[in-house]
Amino acid sequence: MPKPAGPRVVSDVMTHTAVAIGRDGPYKEIVALMDGWKVSALPVLEGEGRVVGVVSEADLLLKEAFRGADPLSGEVGSAAKAGAVRAGDLMSSPAVTVRAGASLAEAARIMARRKVKRLPVVNGIGLLEGVVSRSDLLKVFLREDGEIEAEIRRSVLGGPALTGVDVTVTEGVATLRGTLADRSLVPLLARAARAVEGVVDVRGELGTT
């Protein structure tokens, strides 16, 4: 069975012009950059652009959360950060990043596991190349149904054993119809179709000869 076309990678969907700040960037400048660029976090850079941390809205809001309050047990670290005025002291470090060549699925798993909305994209030596957000990863689901159908026919249903199978795609849901000589091909076929970008789900109406 032909393999599905290779998925796009992070560098295909990321924002290449990424706003960032240096370690010595002051609190108010961080707030202004976030407001001006409509982002919820900034990579913190040092040297020639190596990502050393990320400062987020949550980091900044600690200043308000601890205003005039005595920290409880276990909150000393957060209270200390609340008193910080520079990016290097406010940031969370080490930064949660992703490589430019990582798959979109890998980036999505990192975001879900680490509970972040945006990831700095770095090269092999940790230099910033861009930023990828949740909305960037969701762009694959904007593909037209006809485009998805064509790719499944070309990359999944192109083998001689699958001449009796066709596909229709509606709202991203791919329905496979037809007959197969070998029932064991059904789960393999469904898995290959599901790997095509933009597919929301796969349904099968398949029989065997």
Side-chain angles (χ1 to χ4, degrees), residues 41-178:
L42 295 176
V44 180
L45 309 181
E46 71 175 9
E48 297 181 356
R50 187 167 63 89
V51 179
V52 293
V54 172
V55 60
S56 68
E57 290 173 336
D59 295 320
L60 299 178
L61 282 172
L62 289 171
K63 189 173 291 295
E64 193 64 31
F66 284 91
R67 188 183 300 277
D70 293 326
L72 301 174
S73 177
E75 294 182 329
V76 175
S78 294
K81 185 179 284 192
V85 295
R86 301 287 176 183
D89 298 318
L90 288 158
M91 69 184 184
S92 299
S93 181
V96 180
T97 62
V98 68
R99 293 286 185 91
S103 70
L104 303 191
E106 181 181 347
R109 284 193 294 270
I110 294 172
M111 286 185 186
R113 186 169 64 247
R114 301 300 293 268
K115 296 181 173 58
V116 295
K117 299 176 182 179
R118 298 163 59 83
L119 290 171
V121 182
V122 298
N123 64 13
I125 58 174
L127 300 183
L128 184 67
E129 292 197 337
V131 172
V132 66
S133 67
R134 290 174 177 175
S135 60
D136 293 327
L137 300 183
L138 290 172
K139 288 175 184 175
V140 296
F141 295 105
L142 297 178
R143 294 185 76 186
E144 296 289 338
D145 289 342
E147 183 182 349
I148 299 171
E149 273 186 22
E151 182 173 339
I152 293 175
R153 290 194 182 102
R154 180 180 65 254
S155 64
V156 179
L157 303 179
L162 303 174
T163 54
V165 179
D166 196 17
V167 63
T168 57
V169 178
T170 304
E171 296 296 326
V173 177
T175 302
L176 300 166
R177 296 184 177 89

